[in-house]
Each structure stands twice: as structure tokens, then as C-alpha cells.
């Protein structure tokens, strides 16, 4: 997960692709379901109007990638991404970037202080 976050935060899309299997499945809740290679996934992140970054954290005790958005004074959890890894490769990504209610309805959200 940390390598995914590191590549994503550097906008190193080729690096994220290298971590993913050739037939990785992507679901962007309320927006897309299909093969990662067929998705406008990375370009959509590039176009986000609010500063953002990813961090490894936990939501309701589950290890996930948390999207943080920059507020006036701090970074605030906005949404999450679930990764499924088989062997050494990501084979499924479920991104809730269009569903910020997932974070607001969670019982617990933990992000390391350094994020």
C-alpha cells in the first residue's frame, strides 16, 4: 500500500501501473467499473481542483489508502481506496473518491500524524 501511495503522490502513473497486474480491475464507486487500462483514472486525479494526497491508514480497523484534501489549516480525510493484492501485484482497486460519505459514516478513521 505504501508504494501505491508513494507513486500516486508523485503522480507517477507508470509506477502505479507497474504495481498493478495487467488485468487489474478498477471500480470507482458511482463512476466506473472495468479494466484499469481502459479507465481515465489517473487523468481524473490530475484534474481534481482541490489539493490532495494519499496516505496509508485505517477505516473501521481495515487497512486502506485514505485520500486527504487540503483545508485552510490541515489535511482532512475525504475518501478511501481499497486495494486487493495477489502475490506481488494489485489486481483490484476500489476507489470511493466520489463517495465522501464513506469516511463521514465510518466509526473510526486513523491516519498517521506525518501524513
Amino acid at each position: 500500500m505504501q508504494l501505491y501511495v508513494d507513486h500516486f503522490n508523485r503522480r507517477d502513473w507508470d509506477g502505479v501501473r507497474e504495481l498493478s497486474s495487467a488485468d487489474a480491475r478498477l471500480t470507482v464507486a458511482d463512476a466506473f467499473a472495468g479494466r484499469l487500462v481502459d479507465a481515465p483514472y489517473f487523468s481524473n486525479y490530475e484534474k481534481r481542483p482541490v489539493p490532495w494526497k494519499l496516505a496509508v491508514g485505517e477505516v473501521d480497523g481495515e487497512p486502506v489508502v485514505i485520500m486527504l484534501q487540503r483545508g485552510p489549516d490541515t489535511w482532512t480525510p475525504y475518501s478511501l481506496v481499497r486495494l486487493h493484492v495477489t502475490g506481488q501485484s494489485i489486481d483490484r482497486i476500489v476507489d470511493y473518491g466520489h463517495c465522501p460519505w464513506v469516511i463521514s459514516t465510518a466509526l473510526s478513521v486513523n491516519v498517521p500524524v506525518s501524513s
Side-chain angles (χ1 to χ4, degrees), residues 22-41:
D23 60 346
R25 303 296 298 172
L26 170 67
T27 301
V28 178
D30 288 345
F32 180 87
R35 296 180 331 144
L36 178 62
V37 298
D38 297 330
Y41 189 54

Side-chain angles (χ1 to χ4, degrees), residues 3-90:
L3 280 173
Y4 179 91
V5 166
D6 293 344
H7 287 296
F8 226 95
N9 285 342
R10 287 193 310 265
R11 300 349 181 220
D12 176 7
W13 309 130
D14 290 335
V16 175
R17 285 184 190 96
E18 288 175 14
L19 295 173
S20 305
S21 65
D23 60 346
R25 303 296 298 172
L26 170 67
T27 301
V28 178
D30 288 345
F32 180 87
R35 296 180 331 144
L36 178 62
V37 298
D38 297 330
Y41 189 54
F42 304 118
S43 62
N44 286 345
Y45 265 94
E46 287 282 353
K47 295 174 190 172
R48 289 188 70 86
V50 176
W52 60 271
K53 67 179 181 177
L54 301 182
V56 174
E58 288 186 355
V59 172
D60 291 340
E62 176 188 359
V64 295
V65 173
I66 297 176
M67 178 200 271
L68 303 165
Q69 284 194 170
R70 184 73 184 155
D73 300 321
T74 188
W75 290 95
T76 303
Y78 177 77
S79 68
L80 65 95
V81 178
R82 289 188 170 112
L83 302 178
H84 185 267
V85 177
T86 300
Q88 296 292 318
S89 211
I90 297 168

